Amino acid sequence: MAINSILKNSTPKLIALISSSIFAISTLLVFIICKILFTGMPGWLIIIAATILIFAIGYIVVYSLVERFIYRKIKLIYKSISDTKLSTKDTPLKSNMKNVNLIEDAEVAVLNWQKTKIKELNKQKKLDKYRKEFLGNVFHELKTPLFNIQGYLETLIEGGIYDEKINLKFAKKASKNVKRMAKIVEDLQMIANLQDASFVLAAEKFDITELVKDIIESLEVRAKKKKNKLEIKEGCNQSFSVIADREMIHQVLNNLIINALKYGKENGKTQIGLYDMNENVLIEVSDNGIGMDKDQLSRIFERFYRIDKNRSRKLGGTGLGLSIVKHIIEVHNQTINVRSTPGVGSTFGFTLKKA
Ligand code: ADP
């Protein structure tokens, strides 16, 4: 117990001092004992017996002190790198005490710990950067309509309200900007809900082909305005029953088809195809519009990413549509992909589980 408490705060100097003191005292004692016990024996025999005894005592003393010292120090290292509290009983070192690789094992453990910490730190840094960028984007996107509203309201308050030429026009413009802000907040809320671990899908069985037909019908006026031919691809209109959240898939198809119309050509074509893939159905929305470069394809599902910001804003986009689409497909445990060629067109395809 006493040795244990001394070892707790020991240093190599103290260990050397204790071991050499024990060694010196035991040498003296051994010589005295040998002198008494072996009187009358030849001197060389007494020297051999004393040497053997001193060697044995020295070995036991040095070994146990050094072992305990190293064990304590390495246990301290394990304690500081371990996430869990290590008891003396279950410390991994206890069973390794006789292991000649004790120090190497501790070194490997520390290096592994260092690697894990570096990984965690890099992940944290990435997350921080992502958060900062995201907050910057939210601020930027809300700032423009907010300042516009402020400008219109101040002009109206400063007398514009009595000017018949501008009062209604400015009120309408302010209202349009409020709607834009509300749409951004609504879309962000939707993404936050989809990212929430407690989010539950309202999955049901429904005919996806019927849903596509309904959406085509509801967007007919919009397509006609753009002189765009919106239809189900010939030969790809087979009926399929799927298990999914109908309302959410409605939003996915709506977003993809509206994008196809927004970024499609005048007098162009938007086609929807449904394909049997054994357990799943593949639904593709294709346009022959402006298309996208290969390096832009990996980014279009990011929040607020737009290839041409001005064009997107003019068309009423928030840059959140495809991010919502991707999140919805992901909560269904399905996949979405895109193929596109600039000037030729784009095809977005996603899968759904067949009922
Ligand atoms: P937005 O509100 O800007 O339409 P989205 O998230 O829906 O935002 O799309 C992100 C960007 O991806 C768009 O700004 C556009 O640049 C590009 N994009 C999306 N769909 C198409 C498409 N069918 N053809 C060409 N570009 C597209």
Side-chain angles (χ1 to χ4, degrees), residues 259 262-263 287 292 300 305-307 312 317-319 321-322 346:
N259 273 355
K262 277 200 301 196
Y263 306 105
D287 65 66
M292 290 168 274
I300 53 170
Y305 183 81
R306 282 160 289 185
I307 296 166
S312 158
T318 59
L322 284 181
S346 312

Side-chain angles (χ1 to χ4, degrees), residues 157-353:
I157 290 165
E158 282 160 13
I161 197 151
Y162 304 109
D163 183 345
E164 294 217 332
K165 268 190 240 148
I166 61 158
N167 54 9
L168 188 61
K169 191 170 138 197
F170 276 26
K172 275 186 180 166
K173 282 196 171 179
S175 162
K176 197 176 161 196
N177 279 281
V178 170
K179 273 186 195 149
R180 179 168 175 76
M181 280 178 82
K183 172 88 178 107
I184 293 172
V185 173
E186 203 180 284
D187 283 356
L188 285 173
Q189 178 70 57
M190 173 96 187
I191 293 174
N193 287 347
L194 288 164
Q195 283 178 331
D196 196 329
S198 61
F199 179 80
V200 192
L201 275 176
E204 59 179 306
K205 185 177 160 183
F206 64 91
D207 188 328
I208 183 75
T209 319
E210 281 307 310
L211 180 66
V212 170
K213 284 178 187 163
D214 287 351
I215 296 172
I216 290 181
E217 211 178 292
S218 70
L219 293 173
E220 224 157 52
V221 178
R222 208 189 254 249
K224 267 195 186 134
K225 258 191 200 164
K226 192 133 187 200
K227 298 184 187 115
N228 195 294
K229 197 168 177 207
L230 175 60
E231 59 184 11
I232 293 194
K233 203 170 173 177
E234 228 184 270
C236 304
N237 58 355
Q238 192 191 330
S239 259
F240 288 106
S241 261
V242 292
I243 297 259
D245 188 316
R246 193 175 190 278
E247 219 167 282
M248 294 217 157
I249 299 305
H250 187 288
Q251 179 157 5
V252 167
L253 282 163
N254 225 39
N255 282 5
L256 293 179
I257 299 174
I258 289 176
N259 273 355
L261 295 174
K262 277 200 301 196
Y263 306 105
K265 273 195 294 207
E266 283 245 340
N267 297 313
K269 211 195 272 184
T270 300
Q271 290 189 317
I272 295 103
L274 297 115
Y275 306 89
D276 194 343
M277 285 181 71
N278 298 327
E279 279 186 14
N280 295 329
V281 182
L282 170 69
I283 301 115
E284 285 197 334
V285 178
S286 312
D287 65 66
N288 57 352
I290 57 173
M292 290 168 274
D293 278 333
K294 228 181 178 172
D295 55 325
Q296 289 162 334
L297 292 184
S298 58
R299 302 207 57 196
I300 53 170
F301 294 100
E302 286 173 24
R303 288 177 290 194
F304 294 119
Y305 183 81
R306 282 160 289 185
I307 296 166
D308 181 345
K309 277 203 168 153
N310 286 335
R311 181 183 177 132
S312 158
R313 272 205 201 101
K314 262 187 219 154
L315 296 168
T318 59
L320 293 168
L322 284 181
S323 179
I324 292 177
V325 163
K326 189 165 186 266
H327 277 95
I328 293 178
I329 298 303
E330 276 173 1
V331 290
H332 279 84
N333 284 326
Q334 296 293 325
T335 53
I336 176 152
N337 64 70
V338 53
R339 310 188 294 274
S340 190
T341 310
V344 177
S346 312
T347 298
F348 286 83
F350 65 94
T351 53
L352 284 180
K353 199 165 172 43

